Amino acid sequence: MFGKKKQPPIRSLIAQGSCIEGSLRFTDGLRIDGEVIGDIRANEGSPSILVISESAVVTGLVQADHVIINGRVVGPVHACELLELQPKAKIEGNVSYKALEMHQGAVIFGQLRPTTLQQLEEKPPLKLAANNSQPTPAVSAN
């Protein structure tokens, strides 16, 4: 999604020294340098980007198309497209993503769950060739 298309602009900022308590919804892009206690979700229907900087602390669910983390998140993280974990990222919670870029030094205390289309589709049962249920014909030695 973000490989060839232009990323949405970052229109909102929660500055360092600020503390927001409550759930947030945003459109386009949001950068967090301060503290948020509550869930952060991008509005559906348009591309979104969320940047959690080195000085930021988020306690709650994080959800957006493109998520870049270099600060601390306590709660689940869901990146619908791309999750970038920069060297000082620290996540305490489960993480789901379509694509993941993780730099050396980033730490996750939780489970990683890719959300690829192949995983979401139901897979057909496998049949092993060695387990044929038909009897083999007898061979005569004439």
Side-chain angles (χ1 to χ4, degrees):
M1 175 178 202
F2 292 105
K4 296 179 183 178
K5 293 183 180 179
K6 186 178 176 184
Q7 290 188 359
I10 294 179
R11 299 186 188 276
S12 302
L13 168 69
I14 297 173
Q16 190 171 1
S18 299
C19 179
I20 305 288
E21 292 186 31
S23 296
L24 294 174
R25 286 205 169 265
F26 69 96
T27 302
D28 293 331
L30 170 63
R31 178 181 173 96
I32 300 172
D33 292 337
E35 182 177 3
V36 175
I37 301 169
D39 296 345
I40 303 170
R41 295 176 191 255
N43 289 326
E44 294 181 21
S46 63
S48 60
I49 184 169
L50 173 62
V51 178
I52 299 173
S53 75
E54 181 180 340
S55 61
V57 177
V58 175
T59 304
L61 174 125
V62 170
Q63 182 176 354
D65 290 336
H66 185 178
V67 180
I68 301 171
I69 300 174
N70 200 26
R72 183 170 178 222
V73 176
V74 179
V77 175
H78 178 68
C80 300
E81 292 294 328
L82 175 62
L83 174 62
E84 291 183 48
L85 299 178
Q86 295 181 343
K88 296 190 178 180
K90 182 177 180 182
I91 299 174
E92 297 176 36
N94 294 336
V95 175
S96 62
Y97 55 89
K98 187 172 181 182
L100 173 67
E101 180 181 324
M102 186 171 177
H103 294 256
Q104 184 176 351
V107 179
I108 300 171
F109 296 99
Q111 295 182 348
L112 294 170
R113 294 186 180 131
T115 57
T116 60
L117 293 176
Q118 294 155 348
Q119 276 190 330
L120 298 176
E121 294 175 1
E122 191 172 319
K123 296 179 182 177
L126 294 176
K127 294 182 182 178
L128 300 176
N131 291 343
N132 291 338
S133 59
Q134 298 178 0
T136 56
V139 177
S140 62
N142 285 349

